[in-house]
Amino acid sequence: MKPYFISTAIDYTNAIPHIGHTYEKILADVLARYQRLRGREVFFLTGVDQHGQKVQQAAEKQGISPQAFTDALSEEFITLWKKLGISYDVWASTTHPCHKRVVQKILTNLLEKGWLYKASYQGYYSVRQEQFLTDKERSEDGTFGPEWGEVVFLEEENWYFRLSKCRSWLISFLETHPHFVTPSFRQVELKNAAAKINGDLCISRPKSRLSWGIELPFDPEFVVYVWFDALINYISFAGYLNDESKTNFSSLWPCNDHVIGKDILIPAHGIYWPCMLHAIGFLDEQMPHLLVHGFWTLNGEKISKSTGNVFDVHQAIERFGLAALRYYLMRDAVMGRDADFSEERLLNRYHAELSNGIGNLLNRSLGMISRYRPEGLCRVSLTQECSSLLEGHLNLVHRYYKEMDGSQIHDGLETMVEIVTRTNVFIDTKAPWKIAKESDQENRLSAILITLLESLRIAATLLLPVAPDAGAKIFSQLGFDPLVLSDEIVIPEFPEKYYAGKATPIFPRLLEEK
Ligand code: MSP
């Protein structure tokens, strides 16, 4: 089974993806890149969620068709993800004809199996969230809060999915599968929500109100509710019921991680999605895993276009550089918890752990090799002090595996930082500049210099998923290949003669903005 990572299909109303969306894509990208480094063939899917009322309204405002609107925005997303180094394998856009066909096949199957029915309903409807509201959603004063946007009273005939029929199945599934959601406190929240399932899910919208969606194959007066359509992208683009797909669905599914934010766990991914899969015929052991990350705030406040508390990701890349931005987002957020974006913390992390950390170690090491071995560094056997340093590093690599396998990227990076620190301490205690003055210590000095290079090889390999470009630059200055991250780690044989490349700073210092 290939590791299969999914990051959400981004919403079209997010004309400019902000740091929160960016974080999620980088998170999924780092997990995918880590798996590739471990020698596994990965399938990484992400894309855009194109249908729905919000898109229709936004397009109307601009006086263009919804397709023209979404096409233009897709380009913007693709450009930004490319700039951020997001290494997705397949781009899922929910207007793709293959996806539409899969959605329609699934709906037909569900109808045949008795999971869908038509009924009339009247109630309050949130245009922003595209759903009917119940008393549960009312604030204490009886009104619907600002998160629901414009709320209107509607009476409509619609198609319903028998969500309530899945209630007891979902409750017992969550009981028997405690690792369905990570972190575990989110699974507790989900269990509470599942116990409250009450009523069925409206899965259609009349075309008279919303035409921008996938038509119901058995009732052309209706289009599919946007969430029902969008969630299916996770399987349609992985080849499910999709003859035209090049991917073999059974080699991918169930996916390793659906990387999602906490706001879309309940009800979409935690309730609708497993119930939909269950109704379609997926077995309990075929349910995916949900990796739920926290939210970023900016200066302690919610990131929001409407209040202007947002900053441009393109500008952030220009200002800090891609490595600093990716590193900070991965290093400062504890998986599953909220985090606050602060330029000061970004600069501190970057300077302490990249510029003065691995960057300085690289300069120092290459500098010493050029100085003490201008004629080339010859291979020698490592002394005990060197082997034991490297052994300690390799233990840390195993800890890195454990953290990264558990999606604890901030802790995974900690092991890289520790390797650099141990190596710097090693340099300071061994003092190669003193050994260089002892004529009977030639071999010992060579062994120490080789050990520095090997330490850098190890640390830079661990950095690669988070900072692929900067990592590649380190390897080009080192003149080495990355370490192969297999279960049994083997340090490759050192070249018979090694000439140090020129050290140029990879992580230049950044000035603090006043
Ligand atoms: N279109 C839906 C997803 C459909 S998946 C079948 C959607 N899109 S979104 O653009 O609104 O959000 C995309 C992702 O970004 C979600 O996982 C959401 O949780 C995440 N984030 C939005 N704001 C965020 C922060 N401030 N911080 C971290 N992640 C955030 O939901």
mmCIF file of all heavy atoms in Angstrom, residues 8-12 14 18-21 23-25 49 227 230-234 259-264 269 293-297 303, ligand 1:
data_model
loop_
_atom_site.group_PDB
_atom_site.id
_atom_site.type_symbol
_atom_site.label_atom_id
_atom_site.label_comp_id
_atom_site.label_asym_id
_atom_site.label_seq_id
_atom_site.Cartn_x
_atom_site.Cartn_y
_atom_site.Cartn_z
ATOM 1 N N THR A 8 -6.665 19.239 1.988
ATOM 2 C CA THR A 8 -7.996 19.663 1.550
ATOM 3 C C THR A 8 -7.997 20.374 0.211
ATOM 4 O O THR A 8 -7.024 21.027 -0.172
ATOM 5 C CB THR A 8 -8.590 20.665 2.548
ATOM 6 O OG1 THR A 8 -7.701 21.747 2.637
ATOM 7 C CG2 THR A 8 -8.839 20.039 3.865
ATOM 8 N N ALA A 9 -9.152 20.269 -0.425
ATOM 9 C CA ALA A 9 -9.389 21.047 -1.631
ATOM 10 C C ALA A 9 -9.714 22.445 -1.143
ATOM 11 O O ALA A 9 -10.669 22.643 -0.394
ATOM 12 C CB ALA A 9 -10.563 20.446 -2.375
ATOM 13 N N ILE A 10 -8.897 23.390 -1.539
ATOM 14 C CA ILE A 10 -9.072 24.722 -0.976
ATOM 15 C C ILE A 10 -10.304 25.406 -1.549
ATOM 16 O O ILE A 10 -10.702 25.159 -2.674
ATOM 17 C CB ILE A 10 -7.793 25.551 -1.165
ATOM 18 C CG1 ILE A 10 -7.770 26.717 -0.198
ATOM 19 C CG2 ILE A 10 -7.641 26.001 -2.591
ATOM 20 C CD1 ILE A 10 -6.391 27.141 0.147
ATOM 21 N N ASP A 11 -10.875 26.247 -0.739
ATOM 22 C CA ASP A 11 -12.115 26.899 -1.063
ATOM 23 C C ASP A 11 -11.870 28.071 -1.990
ATOM 24 O O ASP A 11 -10.932 28.830 -1.789
ATOM 25 C CB ASP A 11 -12.612 27.466 0.268
ATOM 26 C CG ASP A 11 -14.091 27.530 0.337
ATOM 27 O OD1 ASP A 11 -14.656 28.388 -0.349
ATOM 28 O OD2 ASP A 11 -14.632 26.729 1.067
ATOM 29 N N TYR A 12 -12.765 28.230 -2.944
ATOM 30 C CA TYR A 12 -12.567 29.289 -3.911
ATOM 31 C C TYR A 12 -12.801 30.689 -3.392
ATOM 32 O O TYR A 12 -12.392 31.658 -3.997
ATOM 33 C CB TYR A 12 -13.431 29.036 -5.143
ATOM 34 C CG TYR A 12 -12.580 28.363 -6.135
ATOM 35 C CD1 TYR A 12 -12.564 26.992 -6.229
ATOM 36 C CD2 TYR A 12 -11.708 29.103 -6.907
ATOM 37 C CE1 TYR A 12 -11.734 26.382 -7.104
ATOM 38 C CE2 TYR A 12 -10.865 28.491 -7.783
ATOM 39 C CZ TYR A 12 -10.880 27.124 -7.889
ATOM 40 O OH TYR A 12 -10.045 26.516 -8.749
ATOM 41 N N ASN A 14 -11.454 31.754 -0.943
ATOM 42 C CA ASN A 14 -10.155 32.195 -0.431
ATOM 43 C C ASN A 14 -9.298 32.647 -1.600
ATOM 44 O O ASN A 14 -8.348 31.976 -1.991
ATOM 45 C CB ASN A 14 -9.453 31.044 0.281
ATOM 46 C CG ASN A 14 -10.182 30.701 1.541
ATOM 47 O OD1 ASN A 14 -10.430 31.551 2.371
ATOM 48 N ND2 ASN A 14 -10.554 29.449 1.666
ATOM 49 N N HIS A 18 -4.098 32.288 2.700
ATOM 50 C CA HIS A 18 -3.315 32.931 3.746
ATOM 51 C C HIS A 18 -2.399 31.927 4.418
ATOM 52 O O HIS A 18 -2.294 30.775 3.997
ATOM 53 C CB HIS A 18 -4.214 33.688 4.721
ATOM 54 C CG HIS A 18 -5.235 32.843 5.420
ATOM 55 N ND1 HIS A 18 -4.899 31.742 6.158
ATOM 56 C CD2 HIS A 18 -6.593 32.947 5.494
ATOM 57 C CE1 HIS A 18 -5.991 31.216 6.683
ATOM 58 N NE2 HIS A 18 -7.037 31.918 6.270
ATOM 59 N N ILE A 19 -1.772 32.388 5.488
ATOM 60 C CA ILE A 19 -0.732 31.572 6.105
ATOM 61 C C ILE A 19 -1.291 30.256 6.666
ATOM 62 O O ILE A 19 -0.598 29.234 6.701
ATOM 63 C CB ILE A 19 0.014 32.423 7.166
ATOM 64 C CG1 ILE A 19 1.440 31.954 7.322
ATOM 65 C CG2 ILE A 19 -0.705 32.496 8.480
ATOM 66 C CD1 ILE A 19 2.304 32.351 6.194
ATOM 67 N N GLY A 20 -2.579 30.260 7.052
ATOM 68 C CA GLY A 20 -3.207 29.038 7.567
ATOM 69 C C GLY A 20 -3.322 27.974 6.486
ATOM 70 O O GLY A 20 -2.926 26.821 6.669
ATOM 71 N N HIS A 21 -3.835 28.363 5.309
ATOM 72 C CA HIS A 21 -3.939 27.402 4.199
ATOM 73 C C HIS A 21 -2.551 26.933 3.795
ATOM 74 O O HIS A 21 -2.325 25.754 3.505
ATOM 75 C CB HIS A 21 -4.598 28.038 2.973
ATOM 76 C CG HIS A 21 -5.895 28.725 3.264
ATOM 77 N ND1 HIS A 21 -6.120 30.045 2.993
ATOM 78 C CD2 HIS A 21 -7.026 28.259 3.835
ATOM 79 C CE1 HIS A 21 -7.340 30.364 3.369
ATOM 80 N NE2 HIS A 21 -7.906 29.307 3.881
ATOM 81 N N TYR A 23 0.109 26.750 5.602
ATOM 82 C CA TYR A 23 0.631 25.817 6.617
ATOM 83 C C TYR A 23 0.161 24.399 6.306
ATOM 84 O O TYR A 23 0.946 23.447 6.336
ATOM 85 C CB TYR A 23 0.130 26.258 7.993
ATOM 86 C CG TYR A 23 0.265 25.202 9.071
ATOM 87 C CD1 TYR A 23 1.509 24.889 9.606
ATOM 88 C CD2 TYR A 23 -0.857 24.512 9.547
ATOM 89 C CE1 TYR A 23 1.637 23.923 10.590
ATOM 90 C CE2 TYR A 23 -0.736 23.546 10.528
ATOM 91 C CZ TYR A 23 0.508 23.251 11.047
ATOM 92 O OH TYR A 23 0.628 22.286 12.007
ATOM 93 N N GLU A 24 -1.129 24.282 6.007
ATOM 94 C CA GLU A 24 -1.677 22.935 5.785
ATOM 95 C C GLU A 24 -1.031 22.254 4.581
ATOM 96 O O GLU A 24 -0.714 21.068 4.623
ATOM 97 C CB GLU A 24 -3.181 23.032 5.577
ATOM 98 C CG GLU A 24 -3.801 21.680 5.308
ATOM 99 C CD GLU A 24 -5.294 21.768 5.180
ATOM 100 O OE1 GLU A 24 -5.951 22.070 6.181
ATOM 101 O OE2 GLU A 24 -5.799 21.535 4.069
ATOM 102 N N LYS A 25 -0.812 23.028 3.522
ATOM 103 C CA LYS A 25 -0.198 22.425 2.322
ATOM 104 C C LYS A 25 1.235 22.018 2.637
ATOM 105 O O LYS A 25 1.696 20.966 2.216
ATOM 106 C CB LYS A 25 -0.187 23.405 1.134
ATOM 107 C CG LYS A 25 -1.529 23.843 0.656
ATOM 108 C CD LYS A 25 -2.433 22.707 0.249
ATOM 109 C CE LYS A 25 -3.866 23.104 0.492
ATOM 110 N NZ LYS A 25 -4.801 22.112 0.833
ATOM 111 N N ASP A 49 -11.824 23.116 -4.485
ATOM 112 C CA ASP A 49 -13.225 22.811 -4.250
ATOM 113 C C ASP A 49 -14.000 23.897 -5.001
ATOM 114 O O ASP A 49 -14.044 25.032 -4.553
ATOM 115 C CB ASP A 49 -13.399 22.920 -2.721
ATOM 116 C CG ASP A 49 -14.776 22.597 -2.254
ATOM 117 O OD1 ASP A 49 -15.615 22.235 -3.081
ATOM 118 O OD2 ASP A 49 -15.003 22.706 -1.034
ATOM 119 N N TRP A 227 -20.410 19.982 -0.146
ATOM 120 C CA TRP A 227 -19.562 19.113 0.676
ATOM 121 C C TRP A 227 -19.637 17.662 0.205
ATOM 122 O O TRP A 227 -18.633 16.937 0.206
ATOM 123 C CB TRP A 227 -19.955 19.184 2.160
ATOM 124 C CG TRP A 227 -19.187 20.233 2.902
ATOM 125 C CD1 TRP A 227 -19.676 21.401 3.404
ATOM 126 C CD2 TRP A 227 -17.787 20.213 3.233
ATOM 127 N NE1 TRP A 227 -18.674 22.110 4.019
ATOM 128 C CE2 TRP A 227 -17.499 21.404 3.935
ATOM 129 C CE3 TRP A 227 -16.742 19.321 3.001
ATOM 130 C CZ2 TRP A 227 -16.243 21.724 4.404
ATOM 131 C CZ3 TRP A 227 -15.480 19.630 3.472
ATOM 132 C CH2 TRP A 227 -15.237 20.815 4.160
ATOM 133 N N ALA A 230 -17.484 17.592 -2.810
ATOM 134 C CA ALA A 230 -16.054 17.836 -2.568
ATOM 135 C C ALA A 230 -15.388 16.669 -1.847
ATOM 136 O O ALA A 230 -14.264 16.278 -2.181
ATOM 137 C CB ALA A 230 -15.889 19.117 -1.766
ATOM 138 N N LEU A 231 -16.062 16.086 -0.870
ATOM 139 C CA LEU A 231 -15.427 14.993 -0.110
ATOM 140 C C LEU A 231 -15.089 13.813 -1.027
ATOM 141 O O LEU A 231 -14.075 13.127 -0.833
ATOM 142 C CB LEU A 231 -16.344 14.542 1.033
ATOM 143 C CG LEU A 231 -16.438 15.525 2.210
ATOM 144 C CD1 LEU A 231 -17.657 15.237 3.074
ATOM 145 C CD2 LEU A 231 -15.159 15.485 3.055
ATOM 146 N N ILE A 232 -15.926 13.617 -2.029
ATOM 147 C CA ILE A 232 -15.703 12.467 -2.918
ATOM 148 C C ILE A 232 -14.407 12.618 -3.726
ATOM 149 O O ILE A 232 -13.851 11.632 -4.207
ATOM 150 C CB ILE A 232 -16.961 12.240 -3.795
ATOM 151 C CG1 ILE A 232 -18.096 11.730 -2.889
ATOM 152 C CG2 ILE A 232 -16.707 11.266 -4.953
ATOM 153 C CD1 ILE A 232 -19.440 11.557 -3.555
ATOM 154 N N ASN A 233 -13.874 13.852 -3.811
ATOM 155 C CA ASN A 233 -12.617 14.027 -4.577
ATOM 156 C C ASN A 233 -11.515 13.116 -4.033
ATOM 157 O O ASN A 233 -10.628 12.705 -4.767
ATOM 158 C CB ASN A 233 -12.188 15.498 -4.591
ATOM 159 C CG ASN A 233 -11.226 15.850 -3.458
ATOM 160 O OD1 ASN A 233 -10.018 15.651 -3.568
ATOM 161 N ND2 ASN A 233 -11.751 16.361 -2.367
ATOM 162 N N TYR A 234 -11.563 12.824 -2.734
ATOM 163 C CA TYR A 234 -10.508 12.016 -2.118
ATOM 164 C C TYR A 234 -10.428 10.614 -2.709
ATOM 165 O O TYR A 234 -9.367 9.985 -2.669
ATOM 166 C CB TYR A 234 -10.747 11.893 -0.608
ATOM 167 C CG TYR A 234 -10.732 13.198 0.153
ATOM 168 C CD1 TYR A 234 -11.556 13.383 1.259
ATOM 169 C CD2 TYR A 234 -9.884 14.241 -0.208
ATOM 170 C CE1 TYR A 234 -11.543 14.562 1.983
ATOM 171 C CE2 TYR A 234 -9.865 15.417 0.512
ATOM 172 C CZ TYR A 234 -10.691 15.577 1.595
ATOM 173 O OH TYR A 234 -10.664 16.738 2.309
ATOM 174 N N VAL A 259 -5.231 15.406 5.739
ATOM 175 C CA VAL A 259 -4.730 16.526 6.529
ATOM 176 C C VAL A 259 -5.779 17.635 6.469
ATOM 177 O O VAL A 259 -6.024 18.202 5.400
ATOM 178 C CB VAL A 259 -3.372 17.008 5.977
ATOM 179 C CG1 VAL A 259 -2.836 18.140 6.825
ATOM 180 C CG2 VAL A 259 -2.381 15.856 5.923
ATOM 181 N N ILE A 260 -6.389 17.906 7.600
ATOM 182 C CA ILE A 260 -7.479 18.899 7.620
ATOM 183 C C ILE A 260 -7.343 19.818 8.836
ATOM 184 O O ILE A 260 -6.713 19.456 9.830
ATOM 185 C CB ILE A 260 -8.874 18.230 7.677
ATOM 186 C CG1 ILE A 260 -9.040 17.395 8.956
ATOM 187 C CG2 ILE A 260 -9.148 17.393 6.452
ATOM 188 C CD1 ILE A 260 -10.472 16.942 9.206
ATOM 189 N N GLY A 261 -7.991 20.964 8.742
ATOM 190 C CA GLY A 261 -7.996 21.883 9.876
ATOM 191 C C GLY A 261 -9.131 21.536 10.831
ATOM 192 O O GLY A 261 -10.104 20.877 10.450
ATOM 193 N N LYS A 262 -9.013 22.035 12.056
ATOM 194 C CA LYS A 262 -9.983 21.664 13.100
ATOM 195 C C LYS A 262 -11.402 22.120 12.763
ATOM 196 O O LYS A 262 -12.368 21.522 13.226
ATOM 197 C CB LYS A 262 -9.541 22.249 14.444
ATOM 198 C CG LYS A 262 -9.509 23.772 14.474
ATOM 199 C CD LYS A 262 -9.116 24.286 15.843
ATOM 200 C CE LYS A 262 -9.211 25.796 15.889
ATOM 201 N NZ LYS A 262 -8.894 26.371 17.181
ATOM 202 N N ASP A 263 -11.542 23.170 11.948
ATOM 203 C CA ASP A 263 -12.882 23.690 11.663
ATOM 204 C C ASP A 263 -13.702 22.783 10.752
ATOM 205 O O ASP A 263 -14.911 22.927 10.684
ATOM 206 C CB ASP A 263 -12.783 25.089 11.025
ATOM 207 C CG ASP A 263 -12.020 25.074 9.707
ATOM 208 O OD1 ASP A 263 -11.065 24.282 9.589
ATOM 209 O OD2 ASP A 263 -12.375 25.836 8.792
ATOM 210 N N ILE A 264 -13.025 21.878 10.049
ATOM 211 C CA ILE A 264 -13.804 21.057 9.115
ATOM 212 C C ILE A 264 -13.816 19.580 9.533
ATOM 213 O O ILE A 264 -14.078 18.701 8.721
ATOM 214 C CB ILE A 264 -13.334 21.246 7.646
ATOM 215 C CG1 ILE A 264 -11.835 20.999 7.486
ATOM 216 C CG2 ILE A 264 -13.706 22.629 7.141
ATOM 217 C CD1 ILE A 264 -11.394 21.002 6.025
ATOM 218 N N HIS A 269 -15.759 16.184 7.836
ATOM 219 C CA HIS A 269 -14.868 15.028 7.698
ATOM 220 C C HIS A 269 -15.088 13.949 8.752
ATOM 221 O O HIS A 269 -14.771 12.783 8.532
ATOM 222 C CB HIS A 269 -13.396 15.476 7.748
ATOM 223 C CG HIS A 269 -12.952 16.155 6.505
ATOM 224 N ND1 HIS A 269 -13.227 17.476 6.246
ATOM 225 C CD2 HIS A 269 -12.263 15.690 5.429
ATOM 226 C CE1 HIS A 269 -12.721 17.806 5.077
ATOM 227 N NE2 HIS A 269 -12.132 16.744 4.552
ATOM 228 N N HIS A 293 -5.114 19.430 12.149
ATOM 229 C CA HIS A 293 -4.185 20.435 12.671
ATOM 230 C C HIS A 293 -4.949 21.603 13.279
ATOM 231 O O HIS A 293 -6.148 21.777 13.049
ATOM 232 C CB HIS A 293 -3.229 20.914 11.563
ATOM 233 C CG HIS A 293 -3.920 21.570 10.401
ATOM 234 N ND1 HIS A 293 -4.394 22.854 10.441
ATOM 235 C CD2 HIS A 293 -4.203 21.110 9.159
ATOM 236 C CE1 HIS A 293 -4.941 23.153 9.281
ATOM 237 N NE2 HIS A 293 -4.852 22.110 8.487
ATOM 238 N N GLY A 294 -4.210 22.393 14.046
ATOM 239 C CA GLY A 294 -4.824 23.551 14.695
ATOM 240 C C GLY A 294 -4.863 24.752 13.765
ATOM 241 O O GLY A 294 -4.531 24.653 12.582
ATOM 242 N N PHE A 295 -5.221 25.877 14.327
ATOM 243 C CA PHE A 295 -5.340 27.100 13.533
ATOM 244 C C PHE A 295 -4.217 28.064 13.850
ATOM 245 O O PHE A 295 -3.783 28.187 14.999
ATOM 246 C CB PHE A 295 -6.691 27.773 13.847
ATOM 247 C CG PHE A 295 -7.682 27.572 12.737
ATOM 248 C CD1 PHE A 295 -7.802 26.334 12.109
ATOM 249 C CD2 PHE A 295 -8.478 28.618 12.301
ATOM 250 C CE1 PHE A 295 -8.696 26.144 11.077
ATOM 251 C CE2 PHE A 295 -9.379 28.445 11.264
ATOM 252 C CZ PHE A 295 -9.491 27.206 10.654
ATOM 253 N N TRP A 296 -3.783 28.782 12.842
ATOM 254 C CA TRP A 296 -2.836 29.885 13.035
ATOM 255 C C TRP A 296 -3.610 31.164 13.245
ATOM 256 O O TRP A 296 -4.598 31.412 12.565
ATOM 257 C CB TRP A 296 -1.939 30.032 11.797
ATOM 258 C CG TRP A 296 -0.832 29.035 11.771
ATOM 259 C CD1 TRP A 296 -0.914 27.771 11.272
ATOM 260 C CD2 TRP A 296 0.488 29.192 12.297
ATOM 261 N NE1 TRP A 296 0.292 27.132 11.456
ATOM 262 C CE2 TRP A 296 1.170 27.976 12.071
ATOM 263 C CE3 TRP A 296 1.163 30.228 12.932
ATOM 264 C CZ2 TRP A 296 2.486 27.788 12.459
ATOM 265 C CZ3 TRP A 296 2.484 30.039 13.316
ATOM 266 C CH2 TRP A 296 3.130 28.831 13.089
ATOM 267 N N THR A 297 -3.118 31.936 14.176
ATOM 268 C CA THR A 297 -3.636 33.294 14.313
ATOM 269 C C THR A 297 -2.486 34.228 13.937
ATOM 270 O O THR A 297 -1.336 33.784 13.808
ATOM 271 C CB THR A 297 -4.079 33.581 15.765
ATOM 272 O OG1 THR A 297 -3.014 33.185 16.641
ATOM 273 C CG2 THR A 297 -5.340 32.840 16.120
ATOM 274 N N ILE A 303 -7.104 35.151 11.707
ATOM 275 C CA ILE A 303 -6.699 35.638 10.382
ATOM 276 C C ILE A 303 -7.982 35.849 9.584
ATOM 277 O O ILE A 303 -8.803 34.943 9.485
ATOM 278 C CB ILE A 303 -5.794 34.615 9.662
ATOM 279 C CG1 ILE A 303 -4.539 34.344 10.497
ATOM 280 C CG2 ILE A 303 -5.437 35.088 8.256
ATOM 281 C CD1 ILE A 303 -3.615 33.295 9.929
HETATM 282 N N1 MSP B 1 -13.137 23.611 0.693
HETATM 283 C C1 MSP B 1 -13.118 23.146 2.039
HETATM 284 C C2 MSP B 1 -12.404 21.828 2.135
HETATM 285 C C3 MSP B 1 -13.042 20.769 1.290
HETATM 286 S S1 MSP B 1 -12.157 19.298 1.415
HETATM 287 C C4 MSP B 1 -13.139 18.206 0.623
HETATM 288 C C5 MSP B 1 -12.380 24.168 2.925
HETATM 289 N N2 MSP B 1 -11.587 25.037 2.286
HETATM 290 S S2 MSP B 1 -10.870 26.268 2.977
HETATM 291 O O1 MSP B 1 -10.137 26.930 1.930
HETATM 292 O O2 MSP B 1 -11.787 27.069 3.709
HETATM 293 O O3 MSP B 1 -9.853 25.723 3.997
HETATM 294 C C6 MSP B 1 -8.806 24.893 3.552
HETATM 295 C C7 MSP B 1 -8.044 24.370 4.745
HETATM 296 O O4 MSP B 1 -7.351 25.440 5.363
HETATM 297 C C8 MSP B 1 -8.943 23.731 5.813
HETATM 298 O O5 MSP B 1 -8.394 22.513 6.265
HETATM 299 C C9 MSP B 1 -8.921 24.747 6.919
HETATM 300 O O6 MSP B 1 -9.068 24.165 8.188
HETATM 301 C C10 MSP B 1 -7.531 25.320 6.759
HETATM 302 N N3 MSP B 1 -7.409 26.626 7.374
HETATM 303 C C11 MSP B 1 -8.184 27.736 7.167
HETATM 304 N N4 MSP B 1 -7.761 28.723 8.005
HETATM 305 C C12 MSP B 1 -6.731 28.280 8.765
HETATM 306 C C13 MSP B 1 -5.905 28.842 9.755
HETATM 307 N N5 MSP B 1 -6.049 30.077 10.194
HETATM 308 N N6 MSP B 1 -4.913 28.067 10.262
HETATM 309 C C14 MSP B 1 -4.690 26.785 9.826
HETATM 310 N N7 MSP B 1 -5.462 26.229 8.891
HETATM 311 C C15 MSP B 1 -6.525 26.922 8.380
HETATM 312 O O7 MSP B 1 -12.542 24.116 4.122
#
